[in-house]
Amino acid sequence: ETGVTQSPTHLIKTRGQQVTLRCSSQSGHNTVSWYQQALGQGPQFIFQYYREEENGRGNFPPRFSGLQFPNYSSELNVNALELDDSALYLCASSPGTPNEQFFGPGTRLTVL
Amino acid sequence: DAKTTQPTSMDCAEGRAANLPCNHSTISGNEYVYWYRQIHSQGPQYIIHGLKNNETNEMASLIITEDRKSSTLILPHATLRDTAVYYCIVRVPYTDKLIFGTGTRLQVFP
């Protein structure tokens, strides 16, 4: 059974650019959540997708958007990057509540 | 959303039990308590969760007080590989939204 994978591992962008991060869910998992983890902080919930529909959103501006595909893989898009967007972005999948979430290794985004 | 309070850091000798406390005094009746840990630069790893009753699995035990306002994660025989940040989380009902705090940094020493 393949776990949750994320790509790329690391990414460097400049302020104002756009970025797309990708996540491949664990087999059989129809729910995916995205989190942002700043250095020294706990992960912060961005949003969640269930069967291709957004199913909950945290306190993040609209320039953070996402997609979930029929195969349950997912993308996180961030427009107009700001310096404070520099963080570890984590994707987590689950087969549905109240089951555990399985996290990927994350994508480290640096905005210069 | 219920919030959790954990000590910033703890130490534990290898082979001894590590008892990690968590306060969640505003928890609602249908909110689960979850524990995850995060080893440096890796994604969080699920440990255990519970609603009212104490729970045990191959990794740890979870003790939840009767009033559900606090809980304790117990690692019965800590090893050096258990050194990590441990997060106590209250999960929002009917969603997979996890609200992380800053966690407890557990250092296991030889």
Side-chain angles (χ1 to χ4, degrees), chain A residues 8 10-14 17 81 108-112:
Chain A
H10 296 87
L11 199 55
I12 299 175
K13 290 285 189 178
T14 56
Q17 285 189 310
L81 284 167
R108 173 75 60 187
L109 173 66
T110 301
V111 182
L112 302 176

Side-chain angles (χ1 to χ4, degrees), chain A residues 6-99:
Chain A
Q6 293 186 242
S7 62
T9 305
H10 296 87
L11 199 55
I12 299 175
K13 290 285 189 178
T14 56
R15 197 169 42 181
Q17 285 189 310
Q18 179 267 342
V19 69
T20 298
L21 309 181
R22 294 179 174 82
C23 170
S24 179
S25 300
Q26 190 158 325
S27 178
H29 289 188
N30 55 21
T31 302
V32 64
S33 301
W34 284 90
Y35 294 81
Q36 179 196 66
Q37 186 173 24
L39 201 60
Q41 303 295 316
Q44 300 297 307
F45 176 77
I46 302 175
F47 45 56
Q48 175 190 118
Y49 279 81
Y50 170 69
R51 293 187 175 180
E52 304 176 56
E53 296 288 330
E54 187 176 294
N55 181 37
R57 189 178 183 91
N59 189 25
F60 280 81
R63 59 190 185 84
F64 285 78
S65 63
L67 281 173
Q68 188 182 29
F69 300 100
N71 65 355
Y72 301 137
S73 65
S74 176
E75 287 182 354
L76 165 65
N77 299 290
V78 187
N79 294 322
L81 284 167
E82 302 176 359
L83 298 180
D84 286 348
D85 295 333
S86 294
L88 180 68
Y89 288 85
L90 296 159
C91 162
S93 73
S94 77
T97 61
N99 294 287

Side-chain angles (χ1 to χ4, degrees), chain A residues 35 37 48 94 97-98 101, chain B residues 34 36 38 91 95-96 98:
Chain A
Y35 294 81
Q37 186 173 24
Q48 175 190 118
S94 77
T97 61
Q101 292 187 43
Chain B
Y34 278 69
Y36 280 76
Q38 189 172 24
R91 188 181 64 81
T95 75
D96 277 344
L98 300 177

Side-chain angles (χ1 to χ4, degrees), chain B residues 10-24:
Chain B
M10 295 181 64
D11 290 338
C12 179
E14 190 176 20
R16 303 295 295 269
N19 296 287
L20 291 86
C22 178
N23 288 321
H24 30 78

Side-chain angles (χ1 to χ4, degrees), chain B:
Chain B
D1 296 339
K3 294 185 178 179
T4 61
T5 305
Q6 300 176 253
T8 302
S9 63
M10 295 181 64
D11 290 338
C12 179
E14 190 176 20
R16 303 295 295 269
N19 296 287
L20 291 86
C22 178
N23 288 321
H24 30 78
S25 58
T26 59
I27 193 170
S28 301
N30 57 355
E31 290 180 320
Y32 284 79
V33 178
Y34 278 69
W35 283 82
Y36 280 76
R37 72 181 182 184
Q38 189 172 24
I39 297 170
H40 183 63
S41 297
Q42 298 181 19
Q45 176 191 22
Y46 167 82
I47 301 173
I48 198 167
H49 73 278
L51 183 62
K52 296 179 181 179
N53 300 319
N54 299 336
E55 302 287 344
T56 296
N57 63 20
E58 64 278 4
M59 288 182 67
S61 294
L62 174 61
I63 309 298
I64 303 175
T65 58
E66 192 169 345
D67 64 7
R68 301 187 72 239
K69 292 185 177 182
S70 65
S71 61
T72 300
L73 178 75
I74 301 173
L75 307 178
H77 306 286
T79 71
L80 298 179
R81 288 174 296 181
D82 292 324
T83 293
V85 177
Y86 287 77
Y87 294 100
C88 170
I89 300 159
V90 173
R91 188 181 64 81
V92 177
Y94 312 115
T95 75
D96 277 344
K97 178 180 178 180
L98 300 177
I99 302 173
F100 289 79
T102 52
T104 296
R105 184 172 298 278
L106 176 68
Q107 180 69 53
V108 180
F109 58 90

